[in-house]
Amino acid sequence: MQSLQALFSDPTAWAALVALVIMEVVLGIDNLIFISILSNKLPEHQRMRARRIGIGLALVMRLALLSMIAWLVGLTAPVFDLGLKGALDANGTPSFETQFSWRDLILIAGGLFLIWKATKEIHHHVDPTPATGAGGAAGAAAIAFSSVLVQIVLLDMVFSVDSILTAVGMTDNLAVMVIAVITAVAVMLIAAEPLANFINHNPTVVMLALGFLLMIGAVLIADGFGVHVPKGYIYAAMAFSTLVEVLNMLSRRSKGRAA
């Protein structure tokens, strides 16, 4: 207790905590969008349960990874190298490389999964022909719930690795990392229901969110190949697209009132 009091009497610790909480919340947006889109495919009475389980699993995975920081940092060690590199920039850094660590492989696999899932969902919204099977509606709903949970777990793992490695890069204080992760997941839990309802009630927002997932998937793959796209560019593009969509929604509403 005394060590914690000493820690949080240090302004540097508070600054690190605030910065890390903001970063973790921003990184959690990707995870939350994915959970919201998937849970909205379930029957209404199962959606909140799926969201809570998904976000709860995200917290468990993040805390588990924090308890294994030494192992997690080891994921960045090279596993194999194909010997290919891009042209060097002014700082001597290659534009891409094929020296892969376990972290790189996890990011590439997660990016491919995101692109596949987002493309499949876009196709479903463009051509929403219902597919019926011999199992009946009840069987289809049960399979859908288990399928949604499996997909959420897979992406929770990818986003958790990225989230915790970011935390490790920002501070070496475990208490600060734990508090930041718990705070960020609490924010995700509070925001999950309003975000999911907003996406569900605005079909054009669904396509925008799926576009975000495509972009995030491409960025994860690029990161796995050593092409580090600044996260600020990604979130600035997402914020700009969201602003344009909000203006379109306001325009449609004003036209609807005028009519």
Side-chain angles (χ1 to χ4, degrees):
M1 180 63 72
Q2 290 180 348
S3 61
L4 284 177
Q5 290 176 347
L7 171 67
F8 290 108
S9 63
D10 181 6
T12 306
W14 279 105
L17 178 61
V18 171
L20 190 53
V21 166
I22 294 172
M23 182 62 70
E24 291 294 319
V25 169
V26 171
L27 290 174
I29 292 173
D30 309 340
N31 207 167
L32 195 54
I33 290 173
F34 184 80
I35 291 174
S36 298
I37 290 176
L38 280 184
S39 62
N40 281 343
K41 294 173 64 66
L42 294 170
E44 190 168 353
H45 67 280
Q46 293 182 330
R47 293 175 184 174
M48 183 177 292
R49 181 181 167 210
R51 286 192 284 269
R52 287 178 175 174
I53 292 175
I55 295 172
L57 288 172
L59 175 60
V60 170
M61 286 187 185
R62 283 161 167 78
L63 293 178
L65 288 172
L66 280 175
S67 69
M68 301 181 291
I69 286 181
W71 172 82
L72 182 66
V73 172
L75 290 179
T76 60
V79 178
F80 64 90
D81 189 353
L82 298 181
L84 301 176
K85 288 186 178 181
L88 300 180
D89 61 16
N91 298 320
T93 305
S95 56
F96 73 91
E97 59 184 0
T98 56
Q99 186 182 67
F100 299 104
S101 64
W102 282 114
R103 172 187 177 273
D104 296 330
L105 296 177
I106 290 172
L107 291 180
I108 292 171
L112 289 172
F113 177 76
L114 263 185
I115 290 176
W116 169 78
K117 185 60 184 176
T119 302
K120 185 178 178 181
E121 291 297 319
I122 289 172
H123 182 268
H124 172 74
H125 282 83
V126 173
D127 182 21
T129 305
T132 56
I143 293 172
F145 187 81
S146 61
S147 174
V148 164
L149 284 185
V150 169
Q151 293 175 65
I152 288 175
V153 167
L154 290 175
L155 261 295
D156 274 349
M157 181 179 70
V158 176
F159 288 128
S160 294
V161 169
D162 196 29
S163 170
I164 299 306
L165 283 173
T166 300
V168 171
M170 291 183 67
T171 179
D172 58 357
N173 192 294
L174 183 60
V176 170
M177 286 188 275
V178 169
I179 293 171
V181 166
I182 292 175
T183 303
V185 173
V187 171
M188 287 173 60
L189 189 60
I190 294 170
E193 191 74 13
L195 177 63
N197 290 335
F198 181 74
I199 290 176
N200 192 45
H201 296 146
N202 295 275
T204 56
V205 174
V206 175
M207 296 301 290
L208 181 63
L210 290 171
F212 289 163
L213 292 181
L214 280 174
M215 180 174 63
I216 293 164
V219 170
L220 289 177
I221 294 173
D223 200 356
F225 279 92
V227 181
H228 303 295
V229 182
K231 294 288 178 67
Y233 293 167
I234 305 303
Y235 293 114
M238 291 172 66
F240 179 77
S241 301
T242 302
L243 176 61
V244 172
E245 181 59 28
V246 168
L247 293 175
N248 283 331
M249 291 169 61
L250 292 174
S251 175
R252 288 193 295 268
R253 288 180 182 178
S254 63
K255 289 179 180 178
R257 286 196 297 266

